Amino acid sequence: MSLTFDEYGRPFVIIKDQGEKSRLRGVEAHKANILAARTVSNILKSSLGPRGMDKMLVSPDGDVTISNDGATILEQMEVEHPIARLLVELSRSQDDEIGDGTTGVVVLAGALLHQAEELLDRGIHPIRIADGYEAACNIAVEHLREIADTVDFSSDNMEPLVRTARTTLNSKIINRCREQMADICVKAVMAVANIERKDVNFDLIKVDGKVGGKLEDTVLVSGIVVDKEFSHPQMPKEVNDAKICILTCPFEPPKPKTKHKVDITNAEEYNLLYETEQAYFGSMIKQVADSGANLVICQWGFDDEANHLLYHNNLPAVRWVGGVEIELIAIATGGRIVPRFSELDASKLGKAGRVREVSFGTTKDRVLVIEDCVNSKSVTIFVRGGNQMIVDEAKRAIHDALCVTRNLIKDNRVVYGGGSAEIACALKVSAAADSVPTVEQFAMRAFADALDEVPLALAENSGLHPIDTLTKVKTEQLASGNPHLGIDCLSLATMDMKNQNVFETLIGKVEQFRLAVQVVKMILKIDDVIQPSQYD
């Protein structure tokens, strides 16, 4: 703005500049968008594969998270650029739909954008690039289906599922326990799976954790683990043949919703108030006992008097149980959630073979374990670890393994990892591009080059020479016609990923290709970026 001064030297405004909007158009807009997206992609590239590096994320509060899971890293990064946020959403979509491959999908999208930038410099229109990418993606997906193998499994033969889950855990911080963790994840999924419908209800699988012990202490519980203890220290620590009353109403006298005041001026009035309260508590305890319950689980708190009466009436109780856990307990035990004491009856009680309080660790932490439930499909994976970061990372790794196992139950076809699927598809797309007479052939070759970025990153993160290693694998695939050859990240002296038991689900890889292309097409179609002025 311009200033002028009066005769006393005081400034005042004579004109206000109309702040122009910051605006990028055409190729400049495309390149700015691509730069933002590639910046995010390059951050994750070093975390790809079993030898990928971890990232340390420090929150504004000083909380530290160490992970190499792409979805977790992007979720906790403070990304401001709108195009970069698209890649965050891309990773989240892959995590929601598939549960694994969240790093690979972002690396692939970044590679596609890098190739698109070179095509833009050569004067190819963004729409022709997007069309070429779409055509190449269809060819690659069709080739994936051709080279996929079918794995046969059953409730008696779960080894194929375990091998696939083990592959998922190879790149995680808990890979030293991958055999045990993979076995736990597969058993948890099979416990709740409907094989005939090829459906898995994840709501029946609870993943809980507690600091203390070591990763090897992680167990699968056929039931529910609740991070609570009995409300009175002298209540029994174990209840057999439990009939559970599940309440969402507090063990407290009713409170008026309006302002109220009680004046007590003599002992008779005090005694009357005390007797009224005792009668109210006695009525609640009687209704619970008359229903036949021998265990009370309540979402809300207990008055001290109610807790004392529960103990004296031999009714073990648990208070302040969360709403999600209440629902899980109701599903597992076949009980009904009761909102009022007057609605209690024997038909609404949940049943469990045993409910016990377990203490562990030097600090005597306690949890409640509900086992042998009527609906035995509900299971809990109880994770242990030396500190909270290990427990959190173990939970994330277990989530990925659970999702991969679920995907294999939905579609039991697999492709092989180590970049072998990407290399095979790149060779197929390059060959197909030679028969395309239009300008889209350049975009198809660019798609093939972008697929090479995944094995290149795997080789680089494993300490190998990227270009030499990729060239060797490509040559071997062309010479032998074996699409299972990939990057030997673990130095096992064989490039055949089938022999190394490195599996990826077909639907996960297909979704990865399709999501990456969809987001890249969206970015390429943005040719005008308008940012409001600072004066608006």
Side-chain angles (χ1 to χ4, degrees), residues 284-300:
M284 290 191 295
I285 300 296
K286 184 177 183 301
Q287 287 171 322
V288 172
D290 289 347
S291 70
N294 58 4
L295 176 63
V296 178
I297 293 180
C298 185
Q299 186 176 7
W300 304 106

Side-chain angles (χ1 to χ4, degrees), residues 254-260:
K255 295 180 173 60
K257 293 184 178 180
T258 58
K259 291 184 178 180
H260 63 284

Side-chain angles (χ1 to χ4, degrees), residues 46 52 134 255 260 437 450 462:
S46 61
E134 186 71 33
K255 295 180 173 60
H260 63 284
S462 302

Side-chain angles (χ1 to χ4, degrees), residues 3-6 8-14:
L3 298 177
T4 189
F5 301 89
D6 60 14
Y8 301 106
R10 294 175 298 193
F12 59 90
V13 178
I14 59 172

Side-chain angles (χ1 to χ4, degrees), residues 2 80 94 97 117 123 130 155 169-170 190 206 211 229 236 256 271 316 326 355 382 427-428 456 520 531:
S2 300
E80 295 184 358
Q94 179 77 12
E97 292 292 325
E117 186 176 17
S155 55
L169 299 173
N170 271 342
M190 292 299 286
K206 181 186 177 188
V211 174
E229 57 186 281
N271 290 331
I326 282 280
V355 178
F382 191 57
L427 294 172
K428 183 71 174 179
L456 281 172
V520 168
Q531 293 180 343

Side-chain angles (χ1 to χ4, degrees), residues 163 167 170 415-418 420 490 497-504:
R163 287 202 302 266
T167 302
N170 271 342
V415 293
Y416 295 93
S420 60
L490 301 177
M497 296 296 109
K498 188 173 183 178
N499 293 337
Q500 287 197 22
N501 290 324
V502 180
F503 301 97
E504 293 184 63

Side-chain angles (χ1 to χ4, degrees), residues 90-107:
L90 168 64
S91 181
R92 184 180 299 153
S93 299
Q94 179 77 12
D95 192 41
D96 291 342
E97 292 292 325
I98 305 300
D100 194 27
T102 53
T103 305
V105 71
V106 175
V107 171

Side-chain angles (χ1 to χ4, degrees), residues 25-80:
R25 296 182 179 179
V27 176
E28 287 186 2
H30 287 124
K31 289 191 173 181
N33 295 339
I34 289 171
L35 177 62
R38 284 186 58 202
T39 301
V40 173
S41 174
N42 290 336
I43 291 172
L44 291 189
K45 190 182 296 184
S46 61
S47 295
L48 188 67
R51 297 287 179 88
M53 308 298 283
D54 295 336
K55 300 286 186 289
M56 177 185 285
L57 302 150
V58 184
S59 72
D61 296 331
D63 295 332
V64 176
T65 301
I66 298 176
S67 178
N68 67 351
D69 180 66
T72 303
I73 294 170
L74 292 179
E75 190 75 31
Q76 300 199 20
M77 284 173 57
E78 293 185 4
V79 180
E80 295 184 358

